Amino acid sequence: MDYALMMLAAGTTGLLVAMLITLARAIAGPSLYDRVLAVNSVGTKIVLLIAAMGFLFGRPDFLDIALLYALVNFIGTLAVLKFFRYRHLGLSGTAQSEPEGPQ
């Protein structure tokens, strides 16, 4: 096996271990925002894992999939945070209001 592929395989293994640690943080997070941040971090690590697997398997089209997943992860995280802050996603016909309580 080529030295570069061995290093990439080791990096991929490190990503998997980091994902497990981050998932443990998502389960044990004391607040909602800690959990959302952990899930977003797992999504980012999945993007890196898809890109690394594409290189290992010689499939450059995996990079397009990784970029699309990164975009979906970012938009999804913003939507979840907006929902938990305002309790709606700004659907038509609803009044846009500020969140209640101290900031």
Side-chain angles (χ1 to χ4, degrees), residues 1 5 8 49-65:
M1 186 179 230
L5 289 178
L8 193 60
L49 189 65
I50 290 171
M53 288 295 176
F55 182 78
L56 277 175
F57 295 138
R59 302 279 310 261
D61 50 336
F62 276 23
L63 192 58
D64 294 336
I65 296 169

Side-chain angles (χ1 to χ4, degrees), residues 5 8 21-23 32 35 40 42 44 63 66 70 94 99-101:
L5 289 178
L8 193 60
I21 293 170
T22 308
L23 278 176
L32 173 76
R35 289 187 173 111
N40 188 21
V42 169
T44 302
L63 192 58
T94 61
E100 298 175 8

Side-chain angles (χ1 to χ4, degrees), residues 22 25-26 29 31-43 73 76-82 84:
T22 308
R25 183 64 187 170
S31 72
L32 173 76
Y33 295 107
D34 291 331
R35 289 187 173 111
V36 170
L37 181 63
V39 170
N40 188 21
S41 296
V42 169
N73 183 37
T77 300
L78 289 180
V80 166
L81 289 174
K82 182 178 178 183
F84 280 113

